[in-house]
Amino acid sequence: ALDHVVEHGGVAHLGMHSWEIDAYGQWEILESVFKSIAERRSLTKITNGGLFELSVAQRIPAEQPSVLTIAS
């Protein structure tokens, strides 16, 4: 999903629950995801609140098809 956003634009959303990561021992996987995100200098990191404010300011509809979701 990150490659797609880098190439085509849009939003990659990382959603997770810490209890699931802990229960399934996925901390190393999460660390590698964070490293991959950090290495992609062209990506803009933003909070959900910041993304909402940006979408309101730019009048982007919530159902815009370029939004990608990555969930654990």
Side-chain angles (χ1 to χ4, degrees), residues 4-72:
H4 181 87
V5 171
V6 168
E7 291 177 26
H8 305 284
V11 176
H13 180 228
L14 179 63
M16 67 193 80
H17 299 103
S18 59
W19 68 266
E20 290 177 312
I21 296 165
D22 199 39
Y24 300 113
Q26 296 179 328
W27 290 106
E28 288 181 20
I29 294 170
L30 179 60
E31 187 175 328
S32 70
V33 170
F34 287 155
K35 183 179 178 184
S36 179
I37 292 168
E39 290 172 349
R40 296 165 192 263
R41 304 268 185 222
S42 63
L43 293 176
T44 301
K45 289 78 173 175
I46 190 168
T47 64
N48 285 340
L51 182 59
F52 175 76
E53 290 175 7
L54 182 62
S55 69
V56 169
Q58 295 184 358
R59 300 176 190 253
I60 299 171
E63 66 277 358
Q64 183 173 349
S66 65
V67 175
L68 302 174
T69 302
I70 305 170
S72 62

